[in-house]
Amino acid sequence: MLKLRIVNSNTPLDTLSEAHRIHESVQVEPWSFATFEDCLTAPYYGVFAYLNEEVVGFAIVLEVLSEATLMDIAVDKKARGKGLGKALLNFVLEQSKRRSMDEMWLDVRESNEVAISLYKRLGFSYIDTRKNYYPTEIGRENALVMKWCSAKQ
């Protein structure tokens, strides 16, 4: 059964390590463990997804005034295709509403069609393109900037 929990830097080290391992597996230039852990302290918060008490996904959100930024979201490769990304995103959007966030911003790789489709389905709109924003194995890739507004939901 899927469980979603808000976590912070006081979360047990082995649990943080599981989430950081997922982060490392999906990023060309991943954050250090110290940076990942720091992103679980205010004004950031994290949400971990658990299946059978194993971390299988996470989201990290930054909140400043009435604006949230989805800093990172990922699902373990072995757990994809089960709706976990959608569940994580719905959870952070609900948190944003509860915490009086007017909007949420994110950047997504231009090639990540699965994520872009999910973001659009959940109310995000395309705003702009950041040229050569993300590193890749062979160069750079554009990022799409997207925004969700709580007033439209």
Side-chain angles (χ1 to χ4, degrees):
M1 183 164 112
L2 176 66
K3 294 180 185 173
L4 300 171
R5 295 186 189 129
I6 294 178
V7 297
N8 57 40
S9 59
N10 294 325
T11 299
L13 192 59
D14 60 331
T15 303
L16 295 180
S17 295
E18 288 179 52
H20 185 252
R21 178 193 51 76
I22 295 168
H23 168 77
E24 288 180 314
S25 75
V26 300
Q27 297 294 334
V28 175
E29 293 180 2
W31 300 334
S32 69
F33 181 80
T35 298
F36 189 86
E37 184 178 28
D38 190 53
C39 285
L40 300 175
T41 59
Y44 299 88
Y45 72 91
V47 177
F48 287 4
Y50 298 84
L51 279 177
N52 303 318
E53 299 304 314
E54 177 187 356
V55 177
V56 292
F58 70 90
I60 295 176
V61 179
L62 168 65
E63 294 180 335
V64 177
L65 301 174
S66 63
E67 182 179 296
T69 301
L70 183 62
M71 301 298 295
D72 199 7
I73 185 169
V75 173
D76 194 325
K77 290 176 185 171
K78 69 179 185 255
R80 290 185 183 165
K82 299 176 182 176
L84 301 180
K86 182 178 180 181
L88 278 164
L89 191 55
N90 275 325
F91 188 89
V92 297
L93 291 174
E94 284 302 316
Q95 287 298 310
S96 291
K97 289 177 194 174
R98 282 192 206 114
R99 296 170 184 241
S100 301
M101 297 292 114
D102 294 331
E103 55 195 35
M104 180 177 286
W105 292 81
L106 61 81
D107 296 323
V108 59
R109 289 180 183 272
E110 190 174 56
S111 65
N112 193 342
E113 295 173 8
V114 171
I116 293 166
S117 176
L118 174 62
Y119 298 143
K120 286 180 179 177
R121 282 195 317 271
L122 294 183
F124 282 83
S125 301
Y126 168 80
I127 302 298
D128 201 1
T129 299
R130 297 182 199 264
K131 299 286 185 190
N132 300 312
Y133 183 76
Y134 284 111
T136 68
E137 298 289 340
I138 58 170
R140 309 289 298 176
E141 178 178 2
N142 294 340
L144 303 184
V145 178
M146 301 183 80
K147 181 173 90 168
W148 169 89
C149 294
S150 64
K152 292 183 180 178
Q153 306 307 313

